Amino acid sequence: MFRPKLPGTPHVPSITTHIPQDHAPAPSAGRSVAPFVGVGAGAVAAVVVVGVVLTALLAAVAVSAVSVAIAAVVLRSLVTGANRR
């Protein structure tokens, strides 16, 4: 009674293609795929290195901000304590 009624999903026919296994792939126009794979791997490595460096810089800024905030609180308490005396 309280269960939601979901509409039925229509049947979508799957499309399959037949690739014969006895034929070798056609050779390209004399170009090798290896340089493109190297460029892709180099780009991924560069993105990972840049990400690590940016994360380290962000962590350094956060630690510096926390230490400056703590120093400001300590100095404020010292100045306030000196004015009360």
Side-chain angles (χ1 to χ4, degrees):
M1 177 175 169
F2 293 108
R3 293 183 185 228
K5 304 243 180 193
L6 300 175
T9 57
H11 176 69
V12 179
S14 62
I15 300 173
T16 58
T17 57
H18 175 68
I19 301 173
Q21 297 296 324
D22 57 342
H23 292 32
S28 61
R31 291 187 178 177
S32 174
V33 182
F36 298 113
V37 172
V39 169
V44 169
V47 168
V48 168
V49 168
V50 168
V52 168
V53 169
L54 289 178
T55 304
L57 287 174
L58 182 64
V61 168
V63 168
S64 299
V66 169
S67 65
V68 167
I70 291 172
V73 169
V74 169
L75 285 175
R76 182 176 178 186
S77 68
L78 288 175
V79 169
T80 303
N83 287 339
R84 290 185 184 172
R85 292 183 200 165

